[in-house]
Amino acid sequence: MIVDAYLPAAQAQAIALLTRGDLVAIPTETVYGLAADASQATAVAKIFALKQRPTSNPLIVHIGSMAQLNDWAVHVPHLAYRLAAAFWPGPMTLILKKAPWVPRCVTAGQETIALRIPNHPAALALLKQFNGGVAAPSANLYTQLSPTTAQHVEHSLGSELLILDGGPAQIGIESTIIDCSSGEVSILRPGMLSAEMISTVLGQRVNYHAASEIKRPGSHYLHYAPQADCQLLTHERLATEWSVMDLATTGFITYSCDIAWSSAAKVQRLSSHPAEYARDLYRALHHLDQQRCARILVELPPTTVAWYAVHERLHKAAGLSLG
Ligand code: AMP
Ligand code: MG
């Protein structure tokens, strides 16, 4: 059931469900999350069951304030506080050493925990009132596309779930994950918070981590895949090949405006600005999936650093690795 996330009665119902160990879907600025009280192992187990997510994949715990950081993490390094001060609430997840009491299922048995303060007014209000930690992976079946609207959640997980509708997600792709749990800081998953922004705050260069030993479901190919067969093509290839494609079953995602075939029925034209493109990308993929496209052809966006996270998600949607 979809309810307005800003209604006090909806928030109260969500808190009651979380408190008794049940699930609720919540809006965040990245994607919608499937939330459970992270302190209750039985509640967290329901997330894995509903999503059909392997229990070896750890979850991000969402908190409502910096004051809660030390409830969940220990030996927090100074630079993690600097990142938190600069970017929380926001689309940044920090990997830190976990507090001993944290249930094993949350961290998949690892000694580290992923923490984030989301920047969504309704989510923040809920988290502050709940005053605990909420484990919340994306509210979709495992390997499916992340939801950026309440309707996407209902489509994937059904209408029995209480879904707080906080409007379309404004960032639109998953958070940047930064590992601060060892001496060296590294980015485990790119997001709209870029390596440059992180490096500037820390006054040191921060790199993407290629082959991590830490288990990350987001690192599996096809993790963010639409149902349709998704292919990435250059503008030139699209412009020359579109005419031989079956327009009834082919969807297109473009960002440039001068494409002659843009009158084809199933075209989602996104912004040429990376933040706006990211915000709308999953919505466009969901939309083309719902139009039952057999294949989705995506015009490759520019390869500048501002597009890095978008590229990573597009490559995952296409089942490719980003070389
Ligand atoms: P999702 O919630 O599906 O977007 O995925 C959460 C992301 O955070 C995944 O890539 C997880 O593997 C990652 N993550 C969660 N907990 C940890 C942890 N303790 N160490 C490393 N990565 C983690
Ligand atoms: Mg996910």
Side-chain angles (χ1 to χ4, degrees), residues 173 190-192 194-196 208 255 271-275 277-278 299-315 322:
I173 63 172
M192 293 316 284
S194 69
E196 290 66 35
Y208 293 101
Y255 70 93
S271 171
S272 58
H273 188 280
Y277 186 108
E299 176 189 10
L300 266 174
T303 50
T304 54
V305 288
W307 289 89
Y308 186 75
V310 162
H311 268 272
E312 198 256 2
R313 300 310 192 279
L314 284 176
H315 279 72
L322 192 57

Side-chain angles (χ1 to χ4, degrees), residues 8 32 42 87 95 97 108 116-117 120-121 153 173 206 216 231:
Y32 273 69
T42 50
F87 300 121
I95 306 293
K97 290 209 162 59
R116 180 166 103 85
I117 302 181
H120 187 290
V153 179
I173 63 172
V206 177
R216 288 177 299 134
Q231 288 172 31

Side-chain angles (χ1 to χ4, degrees), residues 60-121:
I60 296 173
V61 175
H62 295 71
I63 53 178
S65 75
M66 281 290 288
Q68 286 176 282
L69 186 59
N70 294 299
D71 295 343
W72 297 88
V74 292
H75 309 305
V76 177
H78 183 64
L79 49 80
Y81 285 110
R82 277 173 40 210
L83 289 173
F87 300 121
W88 276 350
M92 174 186 76
T93 297
L94 295 181
I95 306 293
L96 298 163
K97 290 209 162 59
K98 80 174 188 80
W101 70 270
V102 175
R104 286 177 57 82
C105 55
V106 173
T107 65
Q110 300 182 76
E111 289 307 308
T112 53
I113 182 166
L115 287 168
R116 180 166 103 85
I117 302 181
N119 188 19
H120 187 290

Side-chain angles (χ1 to χ4, degrees), residues 31 51 53 56-62 93 95-96 106-108 110-115 136-138 140 146 174-175 177 179 181 188-189 212 214-219 223-224:
V31 301
K51 272 182 67 85
R53 172 170 167 131
S56 57
N57 291 334
L59 306 174
I60 296 173
V61 175
H62 295 71
T93 297
I95 306 293
L96 298 163
V106 173
T107 65
Q110 300 182 76
E111 289 307 308
T112 53
I113 182 166
L115 287 168
S138 55
N140 54 279
S146 293
E174 299 80 358
S175 59
I177 301 181
D179 186 359
S181 66
L188 303 184
R189 178 172 74 188
S212 172
I214 298 173
K215 300 181 200 103
R216 288 177 299 134
S219 67
H223 185 59
Y224 308 102

